[in-house]
Amino acid sequence: VFVYKGYVEGEWPPGKQSITAAIRVTRHLAYAHAKTYRVIHEEARKQKIRVKVSIAQHMIIFSPCNSNSWMDRLSTRLRFWFFNFVLLEAFKHGWLFFPGIFWERLPFRGTLDYVGLNYYTRDYVQFIGIGIPKIFGNICTRGHHLRDGAARNTLQWEIYPEGLYELLKKLKRYRLPILITENGICTNDDSQREIFIEEHLRNVAQALQAGISVIGYLYWSLLDNFEWAEGYGPRFGLVEVDYATQQRKIRPSALKMAELIRRGHLE
């Protein structure tokens, strides 16, 4: 997400739009992870402690804008793989692959102790042509899916809890434990946050019942926070922050989540 937003879309710093720069930055991030992985494990061995090291992979569920269009379905499948799994495949197999652009054998294999998953929403994909990068399609701009009645957060991201279970099923093939490193909602209606948490945890429970090794769930975020492009507007926190005074106020959703943790199961 950092590479795509900063070097493809150019929405986040440094605000570039360059496929060449995006590939270079991806390689640097991957090398940095692999080297850091080995440094941390070497230090852990010296101190005789156990650690688990991984990356947090931002993943989105993609659906075709027009399910009857084989072109939209093709772009959706390619986009789903490319945006969600390129780095995970690199760390699993030891190669980095950009279709039609780039292929390189790299010393990454075996540098994930678990899979970190950040999940928030679903997008719809529209076919726009053949070739790189067009074959991956565009996020649909027609707006018809905005009228489907689906619940949304204040950034108008669709709330799609079933997508979490879908991704956990896909990640099972890596045969690694899965830690949900981010999952959350920005909303001004805290009761919506309570429902969001419970519905997503139901999908985690479903994954556990299916034999998928989910080792934890981290809600984003403890506090209201600064977002890259949206600033202090979106409210993700279990704890409300008054930015003028820095006063903290625990929201009812935080108490609800604490109750779920103490109880240890969903009703």
Side-chain angles (χ1 to χ4, degrees), residues 40-93:
I40 292 172
H41 273 284
E42 178 63 28
E43 188 63 28
R45 280 192 292 272
K46 291 178 183 177
Q47 297 189 30
K48 297 181 180 179
I49 58 175
R50 296 178 66 185
V51 296
K52 290 186 182 294
V53 181
S54 188
I55 62 171
Q57 177 65 35
H58 179 77
M59 290 187 167
I60 297 176
I61 287 292
F62 295 108
S63 294
C65 183
N66 179 0
S67 59
N68 294 321
S69 166
W70 70 265
M71 295 179 292
D72 282 6
R73 293 199 304 270
L74 173 64
S75 288
T76 299
R77 289 177 67 88
L78 291 174
R79 192 180 186 94
F80 180 79
W81 177 84
F82 184 73
F83 280 78
N84 290 334
F85 292 98
V86 163
L87 274 183
L88 291 177
E89 290 295 318
F91 292 128
K92 180 180 180 181
H93 299 293

Side-chain angles (χ1 to χ4, degrees), residues 108-148:
F108 299 159
R109 191 170 184 177
T111 57
L112 295 182
D113 298 328
Y114 63 91
V115 176
L117 167 61
N118 294 357
Y119 172 71
Y120 289 92
T121 189
R122 170 170 67 169
D123 280 333
Y124 288 81
V125 179
Q126 179 181 8
F127 178 83
I128 57 171
I130 300 296
I132 302 296
K134 288 185 177 181
I135 193 64
F136 299 112
N138 265 349
I139 299 303
C140 181
T141 57
R142 297 173 189 168
H144 57 87
H145 56 280
L146 295 176
R147 299 189 293 271
D148 60 8

